[in-house]
Amino acid sequence: MTLSPEVWGQLRAAHSVRAGQWTRPHLERRVAGIAHPVMDFLFEYYTYSHGRLPTWHPGAGIALAGDVPAEYQRPPYVHDNDGWTVDIERIDDARLTLVLRILTGTARRPAQMNCFGLHEWAMVYKATDTRHSIPLRLAEDALSATVEDIGLRCTHIDAYRFFTPAASPQNAHEPTRATQPDMEQPGCLHATMDLYKYAMWFQPYVPGDLVLDCFALAVDTRVLDMEASPYDLADVGHPPVRIETSEGRREYVARQRGLAERGEVLRHRLTAHLSSLRTVAPV
């Protein structure tokens, strides 16, 4: 398919506007030296420059006709008779194989809905300091009691690896990088946020609308992630989900389930798109 300058110009402009709702406030805060304990994670932990998210790409199989900006005239873009398009021969097949293993394996497993977001609690359990420069909303003994009473059931390596030494042995699982494709499950907030990471790993082969859909889901997931944490975020507009109470745990699970359902749709879309890029044998 080939897009005319009028069509791709409109798509590019709309993408920039949509991305700007997140990137503009982030840049303004950064210039002012203001940290944001919820949103900064999406630009710092996921280490993609703030310029990448607003940059639209049509995705593999789409050519751009006419005079295109410089970002569409450098690798992996190539020019053919139809215009500028990405060259799928440049895709990292090993990375693609890994991501497809993770995505397809996650989709096959049942969602675990009994972790209650305690990974953030486990990161400060019996610690001498905290990961964020914001106060905790519970005393140390109440925080520890919550972790011990509910129990830790984290399946995600990139949450588990930040557990304190006192928390790690209490986890019901011992996720590792090697076992990640076999342990990821769709109820996990971090697995849901990572859909954005995987979409960005394969930009510009992934179309811009899918990247932004994954980012929008990551934003909402990060909000629950931190509202269910032991931190006091009321001053930045995020009232707590008090998972230390039965009512708070019910609220957490309801929101977690909604995020997982949205993640299921995007995981299917992303898997289907990445599978179409295969240049090696299927998983």
Side-chain angles (χ1 to χ4, degrees):
M1 178 186 295
T2 301
L3 302 181
S4 69
E6 293 75 20
V7 170
W8 63 252
Q10 291 172 1
L11 293 171
R12 183 170 180 261
H15 180 98
S16 178
V17 170
R18 185 183 176 196
Q21 68 182 296
W22 299 298
T23 56
R24 280 195 303 273
H26 174 70
L27 287 174
E28 290 168 359
R29 288 191 300 267
R30 198 169 78 164
V31 169
I34 300 172
H36 195 291
V38 177
M39 290 300 297
D40 285 353
F41 175 88
L42 297 167
F43 294 96
E44 295 173 359
Y45 177 80
Y46 295 117
T47 55
Y48 309 118
S49 70
H50 57 265
R52 284 194 63 183
L53 192 64
T55 302
W56 173 79
H57 294 281
I62 307 295
L64 305 180
D67 295 328
V68 301
E71 60 260 35
Y72 309 122
Q73 297 186 43
R74 50 179 174 254
Y77 279 89
V78 294
H79 192 271
D80 60 22
N81 293 332
D82 296 321
W84 292 90
T85 187
V86 288
D87 179 7
I88 64 171
E89 295 299 323
R90 295 175 178 267
I91 291 175
D92 183 335
D93 284 331
R95 173 173 273 194
L96 184 58
T97 296
L98 172 63
V99 170
L100 284 171
R101 281 188 64 205
I102 292 173
L103 293 176
T104 56
T106 302
R108 286 195 297 263
R109 297 183 192 102
Q112 175 179 299
M113 298 290 179
N114 63 349
C115 67
F116 306 116
L118 278 169
H119 52 274
E120 286 288 343
W121 298 62
M123 295 176 194
V124 295
Y125 176 76
K126 296 187 182 301
T128 56
D129 57 7
T130 61
R131 301 182 65 239
H132 300 284
S133 57
I134 47 179
L136 296 171
R137 60 180 181 80
L138 295 92
E140 182 179 346
D141 58 346
L143 189 155
S144 297
T146 299
V147 171
E148 293 158 6
D149 291 347
I150 299 176
L152 300 173
R153 289 171 287 276
C154 181
T155 56
H156 197 282
I157 176 57
D158 287 317
Y160 176 74
R161 66 191 177 96
F162 291 108
F163 281 22
T164 64
S168 294
Q170 299 187 48
N171 198 49
H173 311 283
E174 191 174 350
T176 66
R177 188 65 65 200
T179 62
Q180 185 176 9
D182 304 313
M183 293 194 68
E184 294 280 296
Q185 49 85 19
C188 173
L189 298 192
H190 276 263
T192 298
M193 285 189 284
D194 278 352
L195 292 172
Y196 166 62
K197 175 177 72 174
Y198 299 137
M200 287 295 276
W201 272 10
F202 293 98
Q203 197 184 50
Y205 305 101
V206 173
D209 65 321
L210 180 51
V211 172
L212 288 188
D213 287 348
C214 289
F215 187 81
L217 178 57
V219 170
D220 293 343
T221 306
R222 175 62 176 171
V223 168
L224 177 59
D225 187 31
M226 290 304 289
E227 288 182 350
S229 77
Y231 294 102
D232 186 352
L233 301 173
D235 288 346
V236 291
H238 292 286
V241 176
R242 301 184 186 278
I243 58 93
E244 65 273 20
T245 69
S246 57
E247 181 181 0
R249 291 193 289 278
R250 285 193 295 271
E251 177 186 352
Y252 181 89
V253 170
R255 290 173 62 181
Q256 179 188 27
R257 196 178 304 280
L259 294 168
E261 290 171 355
R262 290 170 59 190
E264 180 181 11
V265 174
L266 287 181
R267 188 172 290 108
H268 176 76
R269 284 176 58 194
L270 184 58
T271 301
H273 188 81
L274 294 180
S275 295
S276 74
L277 305 178
R278 293 307 302 256
T279 57
V280 296
V283 175

